[in-house]
Amino acid sequence: MRVKTILTDIEGTTSSISFVKDVLFPYARRALPGFVAAHGNDPGVRRWLDAVAAENGGLCQDAMIVETLQGWIDQDRKHTALKALQGMVWKDGYVRGDYAAHMYPDAAEALRAWHAQGRGINVYSSGSVAAQKLFFGYSAAGDLTPLVSRWFDTEMGGKREAESYRRIVAALGVPAGEVLFLSDVVEELDAAREAGLDTVLVDRREDYPAPRHGEATHGHRRVESFADVDPGRSA
């Protein structure tokens, strides 16, 4: 069976882990106080600030809410309000040109080639859909958003849960065996395989200096670059 549809992770797969960890997270932490001071009364921002306040016993000052959010960033907490507010802060940074999202050249080249071949390209990341679109729209390789058909985040479920991939396959409307999932996380690939998807472990030396071979791959095909991915091959 030929794989027709691509589903890809971002961090550690199309892009370096270090960009998110060393650029985006610290930027959001630094920029949050000024962003909230300037936009705290905007309805789209206020709803998330109020949600954080209510969840934490009714915090009465925005400064306290910001401190809570900064603590969540330090903990790498996957919280909907934090993800939403981070996305807004990151958008400001992208638009101002403070940074461009990292994209491995081989990933950008492969995505363009697969799109030209008529393959569906879809993204599944723990970051919000809005953050994903910013990442691809303001990438170092240019605006890659026209290449992507569908965007999925954890509203579909956790990335290590097979049911999440079943929901994505249903949304794509194609047989699970015709979807190739690319990720650097073996446990995510395990869940996708359980749901019937084809899988490839992206094991980049830049992100994983010690190669994962043998049992460490859990039986998933392994590549070190998108240039080594054959989307026409099934497991």
Side-chain angles (χ1 to χ4, degrees):
M1 179 183 295
R2 289 186 59 81
V3 175
K4 298 179 180 178
T5 302
I6 305 295
L7 179 66
T8 184
D9 171 50
I10 296 178
E11 186 179 348
T13 304
T14 65
S15 311
S16 70
I17 294 173
S18 62
F19 174 75
V20 176
K21 177 183 176 184
D22 298 337
V23 178
L24 287 186
F25 283 179
Y27 184 91
R29 196 186 195 290
R30 291 192 306 270
L32 260 174
F35 178 82
V36 170
H39 302 286
N41 291 324
D42 296 351
V45 175
R46 189 75 250 164
R47 62 171 293 212
W48 295 116
L49 296 176
D50 289 345
V52 175
E55 185 174 319
N56 288 270
L59 298 175
C60 57
Q61 296 180 351
D62 281 353
M64 297 170 66
I65 297 173
V66 167
E67 287 182 8
T68 298
L69 290 165
Q70 289 174 322
W72 289 356
I73 291 173
D74 295 340
Q75 299 163 16
D76 192 20
R77 185 170 175 186
K78 312 297 185 184
H79 192 285
T80 303
L82 174 61
K83 292 290 185 182
L85 290 166
Q86 278 179 324
M88 297 176 194
V89 171
W90 289 336
K91 181 177 181 179
D92 280 355
Y94 283 122
V95 170
R96 283 201 298 264
D98 291 344
Y99 47 76
H102 177 265
M103 181 71 59
Y104 283 114
D106 60 85
E109 183 178 350
L111 292 173
R112 289 189 172 109
W114 296 337
H115 182 265
Q117 293 167 8
R119 300 186 187 278
I121 297 173
N122 310 277
V123 173
Y124 181 30
S125 174
S126 59
S128 68
V129 166
Q132 294 172 27
K133 290 180 177 180
L134 287 172
F135 203 105
F136 273 64
Y138 292 91
S139 88
D143 182 4
L144 302 178
T145 56
L147 307 180
V148 180
S149 299
R150 298 289 298 273
W151 310 83
F152 301 101
D153 57 22
T154 50
E155 285 193 6
M156 303 304 290
K159 296 187 70 184
R160 302 187 183 198
E161 301 169 8
E163 187 57 33
S164 304
Y165 299 89
R166 295 189 183 100
R167 294 189 187 105
I168 289 173
V169 167
L172 293 176
V174 298
E178 293 186 10
V179 180
L180 175 62
F181 179 51
L182 310 174
S183 176
D184 63 312
V185 179
V186 172
E187 292 79 6
E188 295 177 1
L189 296 168
D190 290 345
R193 181 170 57 192
E194 183 181 339
L197 283 71
D198 195 10
T199 56
V200 167
L201 171 65
V202 182
D203 195 32
R204 294 184 181 278
R205 296 284 63 73
E206 298 92 338
D207 295 311
Y208 296 89
R212 291 171 287 178
H213 292 291
E215 293 183 3
T217 69
H218 288 200
H220 301 287
R221 300 203 311 277
R222 174 189 173 277
V223 300
E224 294 189 0
S225 161
F226 270 41
D228 299 323
V229 176
D230 180 0
R233 172 188 168 191
S234 294

